Amino acid sequence: MTNTDLGLEVIPRLDRSKSRDGLIFVIAMWFLSRSIIAIGMQLITPLVCKNPPLYDPRPPLDFVSGFLPKSGWEQFSHWDGKWYVKIANLGYSYAEDEQQHSVAFYPLFPLLIRGLTTLGMQVELAGALMNSWAFLGALLVVSSC
């Protein structure tokens, strides 16, 4: 404790670590971004999507022409997520038939999804969680630089 000119004792403030403040900020931004995405995907998207895409001549993979999003975990596995789910479940495949194939995607993400599904987790949930954890990890790496 230190004395002032007025005879009052001043208790020094404990210095908060800048790294701790940075960690709290990163986690808060991660949580905020995940919340906005979840709210947007689960509540707003089904209300806004009135004109679903129509594929000609046929939709890729197991997409459905005229797909309208519904609330649920499947909504997070649409678009490229369908490919990652296929790779996680069946592995890679390729044939020279001028179609789209799974070899265009890197293997780590589907491998981690498969690891979570072997623990009994639903594949769409595993993909969404792995994506969120990877984003948090990337934020932590970038904030430490």
Side-chain angles (χ1 to χ4, degrees), residues 42-142:
Q42 299 299 328
L43 300 177
I44 298 170
T45 305
L47 300 174
V48 173
C49 291
K50 302 291 184 201
N51 298 319
L54 300 174
Y55 297 102
D56 187 36
R58 65 180 200 133
L61 201 53
D62 55 349
F63 285 82
V64 176
S65 190
F67 171 78
L68 282 173
K70 298 176 187 129
S71 293
W73 287 111
E74 184 194 38
Q75 196 172 38
F76 291 101
S77 69
H78 205 61
W79 299 290
D80 284 350
K82 295 281 186 188
W83 287 105
Y84 287 117
V85 167
K86 181 179 178 183
I87 295 166
N89 290 334
L90 305 172
Y92 286 94
S93 63
Y94 180 76
E96 291 192 35
D97 57 0
E98 297 184 15
Q99 300 295 318
Q100 298 176 349
H101 296 284
S102 60
V103 295
F105 298 93
Y106 291 110
L108 182 61
F109 188 61
L111 183 64
L112 295 172
I113 292 171
R114 185 172 182 109
L116 287 178
T117 58
T118 57
L119 299 174
M121 193 176 290
Q122 184 183 5
V123 69
E124 287 88 4
L125 176 60
L129 286 177
M130 192 53 60
N131 184 333
S132 291
W133 294 339
F135 181 58
L136 177 60
L139 285 176
L140 291 171
V141 167
V142 169

Side-chain angles (χ1 to χ4, degrees), residues 2 9 18-19 29 31-34 41 46 48 57 63-64 91 93 104 113 116-117:
T2 60
E9 288 186 293
K18 285 184 180 183
S19 63
M29 290 299 105
F31 184 75
L32 178 67
S33 70
R34 302 296 96 180
M41 295 287 286
V48 173
F63 285 82
V64 176
S93 63
I113 292 171
L116 287 178
T117 58

